[in-house]
Amino acid sequence: MKILKVGICGWGNVATGLFRAVNENAEAIKLNSGANFSIEVIGARRDNPECDPGKTLIERDIFALLDHDIDVVVELIGGVEVARELILKAIKNKKHVVTANKAVIYHHGDEIFQSARDHGVRVLFESSVCAGTPIIKLLKEELAANKVSKISGMLNGTSNFILSNMEEGEDFDATLRLAQEEGYAEPDPTFDIEGMDAAHKIGILSSLAFGTALPPLDFHIEGITKIDKSDFHYAMDMGYTIKHLAVAKIDNGMVELRAHPALINLNSHLANLKGVRNGMEIDTDLIGKIHIAGSGAGQESTASGLISDLVHLYFSVDVDTSSAANNKINPPMSDFSELFFQYYFYIEALDIPGVMASITSLLASRKVGIESIVQKEELSRESVPIILITDPFKEADHSLLCKELLNLDSVRAIRSIRIEAE
């Protein structure tokens, strides 16, 4: 193929970033990779004053883009249902698809990939997880000979930025406002801080590594809004920090899928990744543990991942994919309530005799072992913080234990965070 004819659908920040990068870096792309692209048409319902498309043809009806002589549709409209319709129509028109849309892959990935196989075209989605950090091709190609047993890491830059600042002593609300001012968080940050963005990404990675369905069955998703900055202080005293961790793990044929805050060892690789950076650990059988980190968001980073897919497509566009195997094995999912975790507990209790004994007695009655327990400096209102690390116990017993601790006359408040096993 001498030239790859591209149609971009969408004209927001990511689309304009791709347009600029392809045009401004055309010589570098050709020199470094040998690939040659041409943006033939843009599907845009409205103009973007931040970017002039020049003489490139504009279609106001985004579906009209499919009528043009192009090889690949780059879907950057976002959302789920309209994006799904556009992608499926592109596939039926024998056009390859590149997308950065994690939501549409998460919710409709199995349907989209099957349609692509049926019609002999490619669907590439490197930028859907961690923007330009090359995790998708790593799992699909570079680690193809490996058995992956676990993928874990921070997959949402907004949450990592907030928690990194809280680690330095800042309050959650102030740090969230700063993230919004810096453009790291949306005006409505719910999707990020409640863990859904990371959940979508780990769901996609689990599908690639373990063959789980897209969308996957329901799994445990928890955000960062209940963490207090003091938790970092107490965690550090014990050799931990706090991250929002997304985990996909296979054990005895069962897949464990979850996204929630966790205490991790201060000496671990992930503990040292600050700010908006994403980071992952991949456990493999042949080459051991792999670490990968990079920018997980932003116009330039996402454009880099999209161009990577276009380069890949340039050299494989004529490959017949109609007979490609469906790697979906849909392994059974672990019941989250049956998993075992160590727990960090912050217990605010009255500073009275016997308070420690009442807490340890309750845990003993529930057969929950204690790794460490310490009473910290006095708080206001004649109360003290008690910091407790448990031995591993079943998740199903956690909520009941919290309720029973709160029922103690001496206990005023409780927070708890799981501890990720190394």
Side-chain angles (χ1 to χ4, degrees):
M1 173 176 285
K2 293 183 179 180
I3 192 165
L4 186 72
K5 297 178 182 178
V6 179
I8 298 176
C9 200
W11 198 233
N13 286 337
V14 172
T16 55
L18 173 63
F19 181 83
R20 288 195 188 99
V22 167
N23 285 284
E24 295 173 7
N25 296 356
E27 289 302 316
I29 293 169
K30 190 172 183 179
L31 179 66
N32 293 332
S33 70
N36 193 10
F37 312 140
S38 172
I39 298 176
E40 299 289 313
V41 58
I42 296 166
R45 290 169 175 163
R46 62 186 64 85
D47 293 332
N48 186 335
E50 300 298 322
C51 185
D52 180 5
K55 296 181 179 180
T56 305
L57 182 65
I58 304 292
E59 287 282 7
R60 294 305 183 189
D61 177 359
I62 59 174
F63 288 91
L65 178 132
L66 303 178
D67 297 328
H68 290 266
D69 179 22
I70 54 177
D71 302 300
V72 54
V73 173
V74 181
E75 181 278 307
L76 299 173
I77 61 174
V80 177
E81 295 309 322
V82 175
R84 168 187 171 272
E85 183 182 359
L86 176 71
I87 290 171
L88 290 175
K89 284 188 175 180
I91 290 169
K92 289 177 181 177
N93 279 273
K94 296 287 188 176
K95 301 185 190 302
H96 304 280
V97 174
V98 169
T99 181
N101 188 337
K102 72 184 82 61
V104 75
I105 296 298
Y106 178 88
H107 287 289
H108 298 292
D110 284 357
E111 177 189 20
I112 288 168
F113 300 141
Q114 184 59 56
S115 182
R117 283 189 291 272
D118 292 343
H119 291 87
V121 297
R122 309 287 299 277
V123 176
L124 302 179
F125 51 102
E126 184 67 68
S127 291
S128 67
V129 178
C130 302
T133 305
I135 182 62
I136 303 295
K137 292 187 184 71
L138 181 68
L139 286 174
K140 292 179 68 175
E141 299 175 11
E142 304 302 329
L143 297 180
N146 287 258
K147 291 180 181 179
V148 174
S149 57
K150 183 179 180 181
I151 303 170
S152 61
M154 294 88 70
L155 303 184
N156 180 264
T158 301
S159 292
N160 203 42
F161 176 83
I162 291 171
L163 294 180
S164 295
N165 279 269
M166 291 177 70
E167 186 177 21
E168 300 299 321
E170 300 295 328
D171 290 317
F172 176 89
D173 290 339
T175 302
L176 174 57
R177 286 194 298 272
L178 176 61
Q180 291 170 320
E181 291 168 4
E182 296 290 334
Y184 300 143
E186 298 292 337
D188 179 0
T190 304
F191 203 69
D192 293 320
I193 63 176
E194 294 296 346
M196 287 306 302
D197 178 75
H200 281 179
K201 293 171 182 175
I202 198 62
I204 293 170
L205 296 182
S206 177
S207 174
L208 293 172
F210 307 132
T212 49
L214 286 172
L217 297 175
D218 288 341
F219 60 96
H220 184 77
I221 303 168
E222 186 180 331
I224 62 173
T225 56
K226 296 178 182 178
I227 297 172
D228 188 84
K229 66 179 181 180
S230 64
D231 293 322
F232 286 91
H233 172 71
Y234 299 129
M236 284 184 179
D237 285 347
M238 298 175 291
Y240 296 102
T241 190
I242 304 168
K243 296 290 185 181
H244 188 268
L245 209 62
V247 177
K249 178 181 178 181
I250 192 164
D251 187 29
N252 293 322
M254 301 278 287
V255 173
E256 181 181 317
L257 199 56
R258 49 192 169 89
H260 56 79
L263 269 67
I264 63 174
N265 193 293
L266 277 172
N267 294 322
S268 68
H269 176 79
L270 294 177
N272 295 304
L273 294 177
K274 312 292 185 181
V276 294
R277 289 177 68 77
N278 287 166
M280 284 158 280
E281 288 185 346
I282 306 169
D283 292 344
T284 72
D285 62 337
L286 298 183
I287 55 177
K289 192 183 294 289
I290 296 171
H291 298 111
I292 182 169
S295 174
Q299 187 184 78
E300 293 83 3
S301 180
T302 306
S304 175
L306 292 166
I307 291 172
S308 170
D309 277 344
L310 290 173
V311 170
H312 189 82
L313 190 58
Y314 180 89
F315 292 105
S316 61
V317 70
D318 296 323
V319 175
D320 181 10
T321 62
S322 58
S323 61
N326 182 351
N327 70 339
K328 291 298 173 186
I329 58 176
N330 290 329
M333 303 284 283
S334 296
D335 183 346
F336 184 74
S337 67
E338 295 297 308
L339 300 179
F340 282 73
F341 297 96
Q342 281 189 282
Y343 274 92
Y344 154 94
F345 278 90
Y346 166 92
I347 304 172
E348 186 176 327
L350 295 175
D351 189 10
I352 57 177
V355 63
M356 294 278 274
S358 65
I359 292 171
T360 57
S361 176
L362 175 57
L363 267 68
S365 71
R366 290 296 169 193
K367 298 181 180 179
V368 175
I370 297 173
E371 180 177 290
S372 65
I373 183 168
V374 60
Q375 180 175 310
K376 295 292 187 177
E377 69 280 359
E378 183 175 330
L379 299 169
S380 59
R381 299 174 295 163
E382 299 181 339
S383 61
V384 293
I386 295 171
I387 307 303
L388 170 68
I389 300 292
T390 71
D391 291 336
F393 70 98
K394 190 181 291 188
E395 173 69 25
D397 298 327
H398 171 251
S399 294
L400 178 60
L401 179 61
C402 288
K403 289 178 182 178
E404 291 182 332
L405 284 168
L406 279 171
N407 284 336
L408 294 175
D409 292 338
S410 57
V411 173
R412 288 180 167 178
I414 287 177
R415 292 191 302 275
S416 66
I417 306 172
R418 296 169 192 88
I419 300 176
E420 187 68 15
E422 294 184 48

